[in-house]
């Protein structure tokens, strides 16, 4: 079964990044792909955690790859 081993700590994906510079680069890339800021409130982690930004990235990069009944606006 895939997943963390029993008792292992699950780390937040952005907290594991090496630097704020890498987080900024990621945010800039997402903004370039989507044409708008992925974190209008300044919290990239929360924006990614909701899944909406990730779904919009998938749909932008590969149109039609998500089920049509998912509202990603």
């Amino acid at each position: 079964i895939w997943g963390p081993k029993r008792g292992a700590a699950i780390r937040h994906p952005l907290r594991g990044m090496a630097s704020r510079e890498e987080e900024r680069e990621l945010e800039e890339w997402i903004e370039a792909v989507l044409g708008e800021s992925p974190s209008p409130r300044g919290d990239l982690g929360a924006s990614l955690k909701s899944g909406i930004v990730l779904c919009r990235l998938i749909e932008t990069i590969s149109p039609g790859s998500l089920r049509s009944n998912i509202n990603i606006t």
Side-chain angles (χ1 to χ4, degrees), residues 30 34 37-39 44 47-48 50-58:
I30 293 171
L34 297 180
S37 174
S39 56
L44 182 58
S47 295
L48 294 176
S50 76
I52 294 171
V53 171
L54 297 175
C55 286
R56 290 184 58 221
L57 277 171
I58 292 167

Side-chain angles (χ1 to χ4, degrees), residues 54-68:
L54 297 175
C55 286
R56 290 184 58 221
L57 277 171
I58 292 167
E59 190 60 29
T60 301
I61 293 168
S62 182
S65 60
L66 296 177
R67 295 185 321 186
S68 61

Side-chain angles (χ1 to χ4, degrees):
I1 297 175
W2 182 85
K5 293 183 181 188
R6 177 172 252 165
I10 299 173
R11 66 182 174 92
H12 189 282
L14 293 180
R15 288 188 195 123
M17 297 182 86
S19 69
R20 173 68 181 136
E21 177 67 21
E22 288 178 340
E23 184 177 338
R24 187 186 58 74
E25 288 175 13
L26 174 62
E27 192 165 6
E28 287 176 358
W29 177 81
I30 293 171
E31 186 170 345
V33 172
L34 297 180
E36 62 185 63
S37 174
S39 56
R41 292 181 299 265
D43 187 355
L44 182 58
S47 295
L48 294 176
K49 186 176 180 180
S50 76
I52 294 171
V53 171
L54 297 175
C55 286
R56 290 184 58 221
L57 277 171
I58 292 167
E59 190 60 29
T60 301
I61 293 168
S62 182
S65 60
L66 296 177
R67 295 185 321 186
S68 61
N69 63 347
I70 296 175
N71 182 4
I72 57 173
T73 57

